[in-house]
Amino acid sequence: MSLFNVLDVSSSALQAQSIRLNTVASNIANADAVSSSAEEAYRSRQPVFSTVMRDAFNDSVAGVRVSEVVTTDAAPVRQFSPEHPMSDEDGYVYYSNVNAVAEMANMISASRSYQNSVEAMKTARQLLMQTLNIGR
């Protein structure tokens, strides 16, 4: 794998982790969203990563991408609160199924993966610069 391929792989990882961070931010922003029905309640979303192959004949890896962002199947939290303006006819409100602690852990993981990709790009750049300096 050439150093230019390292830059390509790291670049795709940066894009994928950026989408992951945006998805986590959206989940955290909607963690306390309230709805009057289970169908309308916000459900957390998670990105699905897939490998991108550059050449199908020799399976050379070209990076990673987000193939889709899926909505989780977990049920929203149902809470009895008849005085709430969004309560249904039975007095229940529905909160999103976002687990704020899990989302914070996911955010830390995505942030560190992003930082690792930046470091890989910096290292590849330094090696390329040193290679150019050898030729002088």
Side-chain angles (χ1 to χ4, degrees):
M1 178 183 277
S2 76
L3 290 176
F4 292 111
N5 289 348
V6 171
L7 293 174
D8 290 341
V9 171
S10 295
S11 174
S12 71
L14 288 174
Q15 292 171 351
Q17 293 304 326
S18 179
I19 292 171
R20 183 178 174 200
L21 283 167
N22 286 335
T23 305
V24 168
S26 176
N27 287 341
I28 291 173
N30 289 292
D32 292 328
V34 179
S35 180
S36 59
S37 71
E39 294 80 25
E40 295 175 0
Y42 181 85
R43 296 179 194 273
S44 67
R45 292 161 173 79
Q46 301 298 324
V48 176
F49 297 107
S50 64
T51 304
V52 177
M53 301 302 222
R54 173 171 292 138
D55 185 358
F57 297 109
N58 64 10
D59 291 338
S60 64
V61 176
V64 65
R65 69 179 175 92
V66 174
S67 58
E68 64 180 319
V69 177
V70 297
T71 304
T72 59
D73 293 333
V77 177
R78 181 178 168 195
Q79 182 176 357
F80 185 71
S81 182
E83 69 283 345
H84 196 283
M86 298 276 302
S87 64
D88 63 6
E89 60 273 356
D90 296 328
Y92 288 97
V93 292
Y94 298 86
Y95 289 92
S96 70
N97 64 351
V98 175
N99 181 342
V101 174
E103 291 299 328
M104 291 299 291
N106 198 5
M107 182 179 64
I108 291 168
S109 173
S111 176
R112 288 190 178 150
S113 295
Y114 190 94
Q115 290 170 349
N116 289 339
S117 295
V118 169
E119 287 300 318
M121 290 181 87
K122 284 181 182 178
T123 302
R125 180 183 171 271
Q126 289 173 348
L127 290 172
L128 286 168
M129 294 302 291
Q130 289 176 358
T131 303
L132 288 173
N133 287 334
I134 290 173
R136 287 185 183 181

